[in-house]
Amino acid sequence: MKFVIHTSDKFKERVNEEELKKWGESFGIGFEMTTTEAIEALENIGYKVEKLEEKEI
């Protein structure tokens, strides 16, 4: 699964599921997270997470 993380300063990063979890852990509480928890942690700091469809990859 692939995602795009949109930061508040207009930066975009394409990541896979493991990278998404690492981003979430660095902005969350710092332990292993599920994909949903990682997305929530990033959204809590103002980032937008978008799941890419297979055709967009």
Side-chain angles (χ1 to χ4, degrees):
M1 205 174 314
K2 296 277 186 179
F3 299 87
V4 176
I5 299 171
H6 301 268
T7 66
S8 54
D9 60 353
K10 309 280 192 243
F11 177 75
K12 287 186 197 178
E13 180 75 21
R14 284 182 119 161
V15 297
N16 62 30
E17 196 168 351
E18 284 304 309
E19 292 168 323
L20 175 70
K21 290 176 185 178
K22 288 179 185 176
W23 275 66
E25 290 167 10
S26 66
F27 291 107
I29 35 184
F31 64 89
E32 280 195 42
M33 301 182 146
T34 65
T35 301
T36 302
E37 291 169 333
I39 291 170
E40 287 175 5
L42 293 170
E43 288 176 343
N44 285 340
I45 61 165
Y47 289 9
K48 181 182 172 201
V49 179
E50 177 184 359
K51 181 180 173 185
L52 292 176
E53 299 296 325
E54 288 297 320
K55 62 185 176 206
E56 295 179 275
I57 298 175

